[in-house]
Amino acid sequence: MDIFDGVLWHPQEIERESMRQVEEFLRPLHLPPGQKAVVGRIIHTSGDPELAGQIRFHPRAVEEGLAALKRGAHIYTDVTMLGAGINSSRLNWWGGEVHCAVHSPEVAAEAKVRQITRSAVAMERFGEKLNGQVVAIGNAPTALFVLLRMIHRGLRPALVVGMPVGFVGAARSKELLLQADVPYITVLGTRGGSPLAAATVNALLYLD
Amino acid sequence: MDIFDGVLWHPQEIERESMRQVEEFLRPLHLPPGQKAVVGRIIHTSGDPELAGQIRFHPRAVEEGLAALKRGAHIYTDVTMLGAGINSSRLNWWGGEVHCAVHSPEVAAEAKVRQITRSAVAMERFGEKLNGQVVAIGNAPTALFVLLRMIHRGLRPALVVGMPVGFVGAARSKELLLQADVPYITVLGTRGGSPLAAATVNALLYLD
């Protein structure tokens, strides 16, 4: 017997079998279709069905996020890795692009002077450009804190995918996001990450 | 009281507090220094201390991986997102670069004809170039299966960071990696992902 017996190689077969297994995890959750697509893709991406219990949706999140993307909204991210995970051909088709400023020299210089993270500076510098757009945060709690401060001052992104990760500020930033007056999708607690945020955006891009 | 009271903004303070918390999770594990650095960075990246119990090291993995990187080994990945997470300035300093062929048109064409995944074709086409290099897989089990087949036929990467994710083949591919005659670092089961694989590589890049 070959050790590779039973391995699935065909992309559609792999996809179908994966979807079948994810569907089994989703069935008992009885989610509305849009939320189901997002949760399914997060489980698929993470290989971890237990994450489902940590995902929270603002009631209008899927609807407003999808509407924004369809009218060509851009996606602003805190880290380049997140952008690399987004299906940009679909996004570009609708007119949107992914933006991330964390590696800009101006951002690095300002962050150094102010002694705050580059992710926070990069998000802050986007400023009013974020109105009506999609913001996806997959790494830095400080980027989400800065965004929340701008939202408290009147900024209105169409959707915040708030999934920073880690032991310093991530859980707290996501608790504050739940109370903010903005459509959000988040994963509570210390877990999160670029693949989860990218999966969320990709689920929306493929909803239609 | 401001809702942002107590938020840490200073990058070094955040790093220090995070490391302090990760250190608490690591202490009871009594790992050798190199493995400790890898496990710590995976916990830090994932926000999930429970992953520590799933990580497995070939006894020479850290030593051989680090030695290869220091002599300028390249890193071959299955997905671009993984490359985006690698600290390439440190890698480039030693002479290495990140390579990923999954988006090449030739790979797409061959994958279509053979009805296998692009990740598998991309890995297979690297072929003998992988001898003595570091291979990092953060997404596709088929890329790891193909690599394992090449290893069975005599290929010898310096290190395989094998962390594909999902419900179809990921757990199985990692079980086979444990039995392969090659230095490896892996996360057992269905979980894995680009950030974990990138964290592993970055831990090695910063070991010295």
Side-chain angles (χ1 to χ4, degrees), chain B residues 2-107:
Chain B
D2 189 279
I3 60 166
F4 301 107
D5 275 357
V7 168
L8 292 186
W9 295 98
H10 193 296
Q12 278 84 47
E13 279 177 31
I14 294 168
E15 184 76 6
R16 206 179 305 129
E17 173 57 16
S18 180
M19 285 302 144
R20 194 188 63 74
Q21 295 201 38
V22 170
E23 182 63 38
E24 278 183 35
F25 297 120
L26 290 173
R27 202 172 302 124
L29 303 181
H30 300 288
L31 297 165
Q35 295 189 13
K36 189 177 167 183
V38 171
V39 174
R41 209 170 256 262
I42 286 178
I43 292 177
H44 172 87
T45 293
S46 63
D48 186 6
E50 290 182 19
L51 271 176
Q54 302 298 110
I55 304 169
R56 295 291 181 278
F57 293 86
H58 181 282
R60 293 193 320 275
V62 170
E63 171 193 346
E64 305 239 345
L66 180 59
L69 291 168
K70 284 170 106 172
R71 68 172 179 261
H74 295 278
I75 300 176
Y76 293 82
T77 72
D78 64 331
V79 281
T80 51
M81 197 173 184
L82 203 176
I86 290 174
N87 188 305
S88 53
S89 62
R90 191 70 179 249
L91 177 67
N92 300 161
W93 170 257
W94 279 334
E97 282 176 24
V98 176
H99 303 269
C100 178
V102 77
H103 290 299
S104 121
E106 292 84 3
V107 165

Side-chain angles (χ1 to χ4, degrees), chain A residues 40-136:
Chain A
R41 210 170 256 262
I42 287 178
I43 292 176
H44 172 86
T45 295
S46 63
D48 186 7
E50 290 183 19
L51 271 176
Q54 301 299 108
I55 304 170
R56 295 291 181 277
F57 293 87
H58 181 281
R60 292 193 320 276
V62 169
E63 172 194 345
E64 305 239 345
L66 179 59
L69 291 169
K70 284 169 106 173
R71 69 170 179 264
H74 295 278
I75 300 175
Y76 293 83
T77 73
D78 64 330
V79 281
T80 50
M81 197 174 184
L82 204 176
I86 290 174
N87 186 306
S88 54
S89 62
R90 191 70 179 247
L91 176 68
N92 300 161
W93 169 258
W94 280 334
E97 283 175 23
V98 176
H99 303 270
C100 178
V102 76
H103 290 300
S104 121
E106 292 85 2
V107 165
E110 184 179 335
K112 197 167 179 183
V113 171
R114 292 172 61 194
Q115 307 230 64
I116 66 176
T117 64
R118 291 183 303 151
S119 312
V121 171
M123 195 54 69
E124 201 178 72
R125 286 167 75 110
F126 284 135
E128 293 188 1
K129 277 188 204 165
L130 302 176
N131 277 312
Q133 313 300 310
V134 173
V135 183

Side-chain angles (χ1 to χ4, degrees), chain A residues 163-175:
Chain A
M163 304 185 179
V165 70
F167 304 101
V168 185
R172 173 84 182 128
S173 68
K174 291 181 270 189
E175 283 165 18

